[in-house]
Amino acid sequence: MTALADFLIALALAPLLPGIINRVKAFFAGRQGQSPFQLYYDLLKLLRKGAVYSTCATYVFRLGPVIGLAAMLGALAVMPGGSGDALHNFDGGIIFFAYLLALARFAAILAALDTGSSFEGMGASREALYSALAEPPLFVALAMLVKTTGGLSFEAAFPDAALLGGTPRLLAAAALFLVFLAENCRIPTDDPNTHLELTMMHEVMVLDHSGPDFAFISYGAALKMWVLGALTARFLLPFGPGFELRQEALFLAAMFAIALLTGVVESCMARLRLNRVPAMLLAALALSFAAFVTA
Amino acid sequence: MELLVLSFVILVLSGLCALFSRRFSFLSASCGPIGAVAASLCGLAAAIPALSSAPQTLALPWSLPGASFSLKLDQLSAFFLLPLFALCICAAVYSLRYVDKRRSESFFLFNLLAASMALVLTASNAVLFLVAWEVMTLVSFLFVVWDGADGESRQAGWTYLVATHIGTAFLLILFTLAWSRAGSAEFDAFPKAFQTLPFGAVAALAVLGFGTKAGFFPLHVWLPKAHPAAPSHISALMSGIMIKTGLYGILRMLTFCPPVPQWFGWLLIGIGIVSGVLGILLALGQHDIKKFLAYSSVENMGVIALGFGLGYAAQAQGRADIALLAFAGAFLHVLNHSLFKGLLFMAAGSVAHATGTRDMEKLGGLLRLMPVTGTCFLAGAAAISALPPFNGFISELLIYLGAFKSLPGSGPNALAGLAALTALAIIGALAAACFARAFGTAFLGLPRSAAAEHAHESPRQMTIPLVLLALLCLGIGALPSFFGRPAFTAAAALLNIQTQVPLPAMLFSAGWAGLSLAAVALALWLGRNLLFSGKKISSMPTWGCGYAAPTPRMQYTASSFAQPLLSAFGLNLKVKLEPVSGLFPRQAGFRSDAQDMARTRIYKPLFELVEDKLGLLRKIQHGSIHAYILYIAVALAFALGWALL
Amino acid sequence: MMELLLILILLTDVALCSTGRLRVLVRTAAWQGFFLGLLALCKGFTFHAATLAAATIAVKAVIFPYILNRAIRKSGTLTEPLPYVSYNLSIVLCALMLGLCVLAADRLPSGQWRMAASIGFFTMFTGFFLIITRRTAFSQVIGYLALEGGIYAFGLSLWQEMQVEVEMGLLLDVFAAIFIMGIVIYRISSEFEHADTARLDFLNDSEEYD
């Protein structure tokens, strides 16, 4: 029951994270900025619209956003929120989680290639590169969790994470935050605000999507940010199972703090050169490896 | 057992029928494939019950020294027979329309190949095993040079023949050693013989001998040449089953020398990591669609070796529970890889058949023209990328669990587990990128050449096997608690657990997770269609950044897609560039190739060295028949003298 | 507290492997020296420990960086040109070294200080790695510093009571070495207009260069 409540909270609040990031960036730039609820308005508007399809698009293009969103809903179902329970739990849930992210990416890459646009192909290629490099730090961080707790699902592993010292958890959380930035296409790997097709990555892959399809993609991206944020946050907040108001509040505060931090990073940093991004993700790997050996 | 023998008989007889029916009509040769299907059904009927029963044996005398026609059908053999016969059915049906020239010979050899592989998997006598092994090798060699008009496939055949015989030489040494110690060439006598041999020697000979067949890096060099050169249904059998016989050989030898030490587990993990990562990187660099699939086979053999390595390492530490998971995962991956690699090779064959090219850079937009083949290829691509809810995910999940469970506590096994799962993560991500790239460039977007523009869907005999395999991939992924049973039985047999092992509960949950994922996707799809009802939906050309005259050749190519990934992993494409120059430039060109580091760094220098050093021997070989006879006479005299002394 | 310090030292090692900007390298090495100094206090706040910490911090975090920064400024070399091993690969190798060091230290009977031993090993190997794979004399000096830091951390983990005299002697050696190297680098760069040690091999008197 509490798991369902957490699931619904995530569904409802996920679009708030990009809003917060935008607000922080606006603050740093000295602007008023858009409302933090902007994504909700956008989603509602997009859902009411029709769509334009490329003449060469097949069913793969139409299926892409649907699969992507379904995968994110699945990932959310195995990731416990503030209450410590998740909707679906089984030994290997952590692996299922990682492969759902891969499934969403696979669908997005294929949808991008289906348009026949060279820009979208370029974006797809870079997305594939970053995700391939982001996978090892994620798995090593998960390995650290399993090494100490023995739990093979998030629900089983997170409560025992309290056994870990503070430093390994902090290291792993730092590594996961870097993975969070790369997977969600934020600065310093990708710039969501860029307006030149050549330099876009995630944004260019979805150029041809419109209407409800694009709403699915934007919502899926918000959910992805939520689940990866939750993963990072729960490394730092090892709650037990069951519902507690204090835990719930702490968890949500942590989620918003991560959004805040992302906004600050985006405002203070420039994007890395394409061939320096691997170094950043390798550093994340070194961090999570350090977490593993010190845990 | 009788059913198995019956299936051998049907295979050989129907093959002979096909061979001698060439005079009659185009159709009469079809008795070959039909016989293959019937024999495979018989074989399945023999193998499935054998999975859960005591080993059955059959021994008939044979006049060769040391040899006997003795067969043994235990759980290990039975498990490997499953994908063999399943894939044979599909490949045989596919070949009915795919093979259009020299049908009689092709069908005969196909049946012979199937029979020899089944014999390799069930032989229980070293001589019989080697004979079957050699028949399998020679028949597949004939298929590699089947379209031998061009130099490339001849060279592929040559490489294949040399590589595989070097491997067989190691096996000969191993078997002769065992034979001389045991005094019998029966496999049943081998455990006693292996006790007197150091394990390191046995392991080294087995890994070198069988590893060549299994395509472990860097013994794989023949594989990416030979597999693409063969006709596609044979490529499917070679990648699907034949390389697994190498793995079967290693496992069989290991059952003769328990207990397997821990370092051997780590060795297999190391082999698996190297084969997996380098295999998938090299696959990423290919633009020949079949060559790319062949490299991906190297990668998958790596994943399987990784699973077995984890299992042996855990077993040596006394953790049978972990070993069971890892073994079961590896076994299931053997089955899964046969299914999806068979599917992918045959789909690639259909593409090559329809367009006349295997070069991904010339394809594109085939999904509209070949919807069934394309959709099946997509299913296979998702399955081999281990995406839920397909079967690849289940087998990799089990291997992952084996790796994760060996983490708690410190020590070398924990680090081996960490290395294994990190490598699996990289392999998984690269495989997904690799197959998204292949499917995306061949089937999506717009046709890049006239050949691709005029492609057509293949006839039903060629699509039905694909659909069947795709459904099996989906079925195993959705119902792993049903299809996973044989893998766990085989794993238990490898661990010498006699009782029925309970399936882990997670298998059921994983299947349920996959199914609910599919249900959610379906619901979203329906919701999307509901949202679209009554809305305006229009069609426009793809946004080209405002450029007014785009052509399909401007699409992102497979090589461009792979380049950043390859260079990030330190593998640089060899680029051949004819730049544009002058006021009235001539036609310019660009070509990129991923070079196999095993070939350029190991074999080329090695063979050059050998050639250099052995150049002196050329003097002996000068073409004069008199001198050759003299050599023979001298050799004979020497042998006689030796015998007299 | 000690664990946190060791982790920070570990991070500085990773950072040393991952960049070629000399100023960043010097700054990182200074931080490493600072953390190493604090590490001496973790055994209990005695007079000896305090002296050791103060001396280490003064020398490693203040004096060396000052000398090195001055040399960098004078030589005008700001980045490491083309290391023998790329930075990305360096990070991966660095992680592998860490794994090996942890494995090796597992065999030592040093109890709760095992982690210090493994990080000490790791810092030593980072030093070796920098000396082997980098071209400029600056990076090599920093590698030398890391090497000494590793010995220091390892020594701390082994002895119940650190022999201050031993450590002081060591520190003095390094001090002299760095001081001389600072001068030498300055000379090399003013004499040859670069500080690339790989290119000094033409100074040898083999016949190839005559």
Side-chain angles (χ1 to χ4, degrees):
Chain A
M1 201 59 216
T2 52
L4 188 65
D6 267 340
F7 190 73
L8 294 177
I9 288 175
L11 288 187
L13 293 186
L16 204 53
L17 295 182
I20 293 174
I21 296 177
N22 279 336
R23 208 44 195 260
V24 174
K25 285 169 76 174
F27 171 78
F28 269 82
R31 288 181 283 116
Q32 164 103 43
Q34 45 185 223
S35 149
F37 302 102
Q38 186 61 41
L39 188 55
Y40 293 95
Y41 307 139
D42 289 349
L43 288 175
L44 284 179
K45 190 164 191 180
L46 284 169
L47 285 176
R48 279 195 313 244
K49 288 198 168 206
V52 184
Y53 286 107
S54 161
T55 41
C56 70
T58 60
Y59 71 87
V60 173
F61 181 81
R62 292 169 171 79
L63 215 51
V66 170
I67 302 280
L69 185 55
M72 283 310 134
L73 290 173
L76 197 58
V78 295
M79 174 62 68
S83 68
D85 303 326
L87 273 185
H88 186 49
N89 270 300
F90 61 100
D91 274 4
I94 51 177
I95 304 154
F96 186 59
F97 171 82
Y99 274 79
L100 283 176
L101 295 184
L103 175 65
R105 203 153 47 226
F106 191 74
I109 290 177
L110 286 186
L113 290 174
D114 200 14
T115 60
S117 150
S118 41
F119 297 115
E120 300 205 18
M122 201 180 295
S125 157
R126 291 170 183 174
E127 173 109 345
L129 167 65
Y130 290 173
S131 61
L133 291 167
E135 210 92 322
L138 174 66
F139 269 92
V140 175
L142 294 179
M144 178 203 94
L145 197 63
V146 175
K147 181 190 174 194
T148 321
T149 65
L152 288 161
S153 69
F154 288 118
E155 189 181 297
F158 276 147
D160 291 337
L163 299 173
L164 281 163
T167 26
R169 283 207 325 247
L170 207 64
L171 281 173
L176 286 175
F177 182 65
L178 292 180
V179 171
F180 170 90
L181 291 178
E183 283 275 356
N184 288 308
C185 313
R186 314 302 304 194
I187 289 175
T189 54
D190 185 10
D191 185 356
N193 285 352
T194 176
H195 286 285
L196 182 63
E197 285 88 341
L198 266 176
T199 60
M200 299 176 179
M201 255 164 253
H202 181 258
E203 296 301 313
V204 78
M205 286 175 69
V206 298
L207 268 184
D208 257 42
H209 289 279
S210 53
D213 285 342
F214 190 59
F216 279 21
I217 286 181
S218 308
Y219 190 53
L223 286 183
K224 187 175 183 183
M225 190 177 275
W226 184 276
V227 285
L228 283 168
L231 178 64
T232 314
R234 289 303 305 271
F235 262 75
L236 296 175
L237 303 171
F239 301 144
F243 180 80
E244 253 184 70
L245 207 57
R246 193 184 64 91
Q247 290 185 0
E248 199 70 40
L250 256 176
F251 174 72
L252 291 181
M255 292 301 289
F256 292 132
I258 287 173
L260 214 71
L261 189 60
T262 312
V264 173
V265 168
E266 293 224 335
S267 311
C268 303
M269 272 189 84
R271 197 170 142 177
L272 287 174
R273 219 165 56 215
L274 190 67
N275 54 2
R276 285 298 286 167
V277 171
M280 175 188 125
L281 289 169
L282 285 174
L285 176 62
L287 280 177
S288 50
F289 190 69
F292 179 84
V293 295
T294 51
Chain B
M1 201 63 191
E2 292 76 18
L3 278 170
L4 188 67
V5 176
L6 180 65
S7 103
F8 282 126
V9 173
I10 298 177
L11 274 175
V12 174
L13 284 185
S14 59
L16 286 173
C17 265
L19 184 63
F20 293 116
S21 71
R22 121 176 75 176
R23 295 159 171 256
F24 303 114
S25 73
F26 183 76
L27 279 179
S28 66
S30 305
C31 61
I34 292 166
V37 172
S40 301
L41 289 173
C42 273
L44 279 180
I48 292 174
L51 271 171
S52 47
S53 62
Q56 308 158 38
T57 52
L58 173 84
L60 298 173
W62 198 8
S63 58
L64 273 176
S68 72
F69 195 82
S70 63
L71 301 181
K72 186 172 183 186
L73 184 60
D74 60 358
Q75 279 105 335
L76 187 61
S77 303
F79 185 83
F80 277 87
L81 286 176
L82 291 182
L84 167 63
F85 287 128
L87 196 56
C88 267
I89 295 176
C90 296
V93 174
Y94 181 87
S95 70
L96 277 172
R97 287 297 292 275
Y98 176 76
V99 179
D100 45 12
K101 54 179 183 181
R102 284 180 287 178
R103 285 165 63 88
S104 305
E105 292 88 337
S106 170
F107 291 153
F108 168 67
L109 288 177
F110 177 88
N111 286 9
L112 200 56
L113 182 62
S116 63
M117 288 196 293
L119 194 55
V120 164
L121 293 176
T122 48
S124 174
N125 174 288
V127 179
L128 181 66
F129 182 91
L130 282 176
V131 169
W133 184 262
E134 200 54 31
V135 171
M136 175 176 86
T137 304
L138 290 178
V139 172
S140 48
F141 165 75
L142 288 179
F143 275 120
V144 171
V145 294
W146 196 251
D147 300 316
D150 53 339
E152 199 174 333
S153 62
R154 296 228 161 167
Q155 208 222 337
W158 174 240
T159 315
Y160 175 50
L161 208 59
V162 171
T164 193
H165 279 102
I166 291 177
T168 311
F170 288 109
L171 295 187
L172 267 178
I173 299 174
L174 179 64
F175 285 173
T176 325
L177 274 176
W179 187 355
S180 65
R181 304 273 167 127
S184 156
E186 295 295 315
F187 277 174
D188 288 338
F190 274 24
K192 201 166 54 126
F194 280 3
Q195 271 171 8
T196 60
L197 289 168
F199 178 80
V202 174
L205 287 170
V207 166
L208 285 172
F210 288 115
T212 313
K213 198 56 137 191
F216 291 149
F217 199 95
L219 306 170
H220 72 286
V221 277
W222 59 273
L223 198 154
K225 288 182 162 253
H227 286 202
S232 292
H233 63 298
I234 302 299
S235 316
L237 276 193
M238 284 172 80
S239 257
I241 309 295
M242 206 180 72
I243 53 174
K244 311 298 195 308
T245 59
L247 193 76
Y248 164 81
I250 294 180
L251 296 181
R252 178 60 76 193
M253 292 305 121
L254 289 178
T255 59
F256 297 151
C257 38
V260 178
Q262 208 169 8
W263 63 261
F264 188 76
W266 299 333
L267 176 74
L268 271 187
I269 293 177
I271 291 176
I273 291 176
V274 172
S275 303
V277 174
L278 292 180
I280 196 67
L281 275 176
L282 286 168
L284 201 52
Q286 309 303 320
H287 34 76
D288 178 331
I289 195 162
K290 283 179 76 179
K291 209 168 181 181
F292 140 76
L293 290 174
Y295 271 114
S296 138
S297 292
V298 176
E299 172 246 324
N300 276 283
M301 289 310 284
V303 171
I304 294 169
L306 201 69
F308 280 116
L310 281 169
Y312 282 121
Q315 191 191 6
Q317 223 186 20
R319 295 295 305 269
D321 55 330
I322 300 175
L324 185 71
L325 280 175
F327 281 150
F331 272 122
L332 192 58
H333 205 72
V334 167
L335 178 65
N336 288 344
H337 180 244
S338 306
L339 298 178
F340 45 62
K341 193 46 71 66
L343 162 64
L344 289 166
F345 258 121
M346 289 197 266
S350 298
V351 167
H353 207 259
T355 61
T357 178
R358 300 196 315 232
D359 190 351
M360 281 189 241
E361 318 281 36
K362 294 199 174 69
L363 300 173
L366 290 176
L367 189 57
R368 302 157 158 281
L369 305 167
M370 311 175 72
V372 182
T373 308
T375 306
C376 290
F377 192 96
L378 177 59
I384 202 170
S385 310
L387 298 177
F390 288 93
N391 56 353
F393 173 68
I394 302 296
S395 48
E396 291 206 11
L397 177 65
L398 288 171
I399 299 178
Y400 266 119
L401 284 184
F404 269 112
K405 285 203 169 185
S406 43
L407 291 175
S410 59
N413 257 14
L415 278 190
L418 182 72
L421 70 91
T422 314
L424 273 176
I426 297 176
I427 292 170
L430 286 176
C434 202
F435 280 89
R437 157 186 174 272
F439 181 75
T441 39
F443 289 94
L444 300 178
L446 293 168
R448 292 182 174 82
S449 69
E453 223 167 297
H454 299 118
H456 53 87
E457 182 58 278
S458 358
R460 243 178 316 188
Q461 287 91 334
M462 284 166 71
T463 51
I464 286 173
L466 301 186
V467 174
L468 203 65
L469 286 170
L471 286 179
L472 264 176
C473 288
L474 196 58
I476 296 179
L479 298 170
S481 41
F482 175 71
F483 288 101
R485 172 48 73 193
F488 274 88
T489 316
L494 204 59
L495 284 165
N496 275 326
I497 302 176
Q498 300 303 337
T499 52
Q500 174 98 333
V501 288
L503 289 182
M506 50 68 53
L507 213 55
F508 181 75
S509 313
W512 194 84
L515 277 179
S516 40
L517 179 71
V520 169
L522 189 67
L524 283 175
W525 178 253
L526 294 178
R528 167 192 176 276
N529 288 351
L530 207 64
L531 281 171
F532 272 125
S533 59
K535 302 274 172 57
K536 187 174 156 237
I537 296 188
S538 48
S539 235
M540 293 282 279
T542 300
W543 168 242
C545 207
Y547 187 62
T551 78
R553 301 256 337 247
M554 288 180 187
Q555 292 173 90
Y556 220 51
T557 61
S559 307
S560 325
F561 188 93
Q563 192 272 333
L565 279 150
L566 289 175
S567 68
F569 282 90
L571 194 79
N572 287 315
L573 288 171
K574 190 183 164 206
V575 174
K576 202 173 150 211
L577 186 66
E578 299 158 34
V580 181
S581 63
L583 283 177
F584 300 98
R586 262 184 271 172
Q587 193 167 12
F590 170 87
R591 192 181 160 73
S592 65
D593 279 305
Q595 285 194 313
D596 196 324
M597 55 292 252
R599 180 170 284 276
T600 54
R601 299 266 174 84
I602 302 175
Y603 292 106
K604 201 158 165 270
L606 184 69
F607 281 113
E608 276 171 5
L609 185 77
V610 170
E611 201 181 351
D612 199 37
K613 298 290 176 216
L614 297 186
L616 292 173
L617 287 180
R618 285 224 182 99
K619 284 183 189 148
I620 306 177
Q621 214 254 26
H622 39 59
S624 157
I625 189 114
H626 309 284
Y628 290 164
I629 302 287
L630 176 68
Y631 298 156
I632 294 173
V634 169
L636 201 60
F638 182 74
L640 278 176
W642 183 273
L644 287 178
L645 284 173
Chain C
M1 182 63 201
M2 183 185 79
E3 194 184 316
L4 185 69
L5 278 176
L6 288 172
I7 298 279
L8 287 171
I9 293 170
L10 188 157
L11 291 185
T12 53
D13 286 333
V14 176
L16 286 179
C17 285
S18 64
T19 185
R21 295 190 185 178
L22 295 179
R23 282 180 186 281
V24 179
L25 277 179
V26 172
R27 206 181 310 145
T28 316
W31 277 109
Q32 189 177 62
F34 180 69
F35 299 138
L36 282 170
L38 290 187
L39 198 60
L41 296 176
C42 290
K43 285 235 155 154
F45 196 85
T46 57
F47 175 70
H48 277 182
T51 331
L52 188 59
T56 310
I57 291 175
V59 173
K60 290 194 159 187
V62 182
I63 301 177
F64 288 166
Y66 173 75
I67 297 175
L68 283 171
N69 268 331
R70 222 170 62 117
I72 289 173
R73 195 165 55 240
K74 289 198 173 158
S75 77
T77 322
L78 285 178
T79 55
E80 171 77 36
L82 286 177
Y84 293 113
V85 176
S86 78
Y87 298 114
N88 289 354
L89 188 58
S90 299
I91 301 175
V92 175
L93 291 177
C94 189
L96 289 182
M97 283 192 300
L98 179 58
L100 284 181
C101 293
V102 170
L103 263 190
D106 264 356
R107 313 230 155 165
L108 289 175
S110 50
Q112 62 159 37
W113 276 77
R114 183 173 292 164
M115 188 168 156
S118 56
I119 302 289
F121 268 145
F122 178 53
T123 310
M124 260 159 69
F125 276 104
T126 308
F128 278 128
F129 183 77
L130 285 181
I131 297 174
I132 295 167
T133 60
R134 303 295 191 250
R135 281 172 192 265
T136 58
F138 299 110
S139 311
Q140 292 181 342
V141 170
I142 284 164
Y144 190 57
L145 261 176
L147 182 62
E148 196 277 335
I151 296 172
Y152 168 93
F154 183 64
L156 272 183
S157 76
L158 275 193
W159 288 298
Q160 268 324 310
E161 177 84 10
M162 187 70 192
Q163 283 107 326
V164 181
E165 295 77 17
V166 176
E167 181 52 38
M168 283 301 190
L170 211 64
L171 208 57
L172 196 69
D173 276 356
V174 182
F175 180 77
I178 301 281
F179 194 73
I180 293 167
M181 273 176 135
I183 297 169
V184 169
I185 293 170
Y186 175 63
R187 289 289 163 211
I188 293 174
S189 52
S190 59
E191 210 60 44
F192 301 109
E193 292 174 349
H194 60 76
D196 186 345
T197 51
R199 285 154 67 187
L200 290 181
D201 56 6
F202 76 91
L203 284 179
N204 75 356
D205 45 18
S206 67
E207 62 279 6
E208 286 162 50
Y209 295 97
D210 56 7

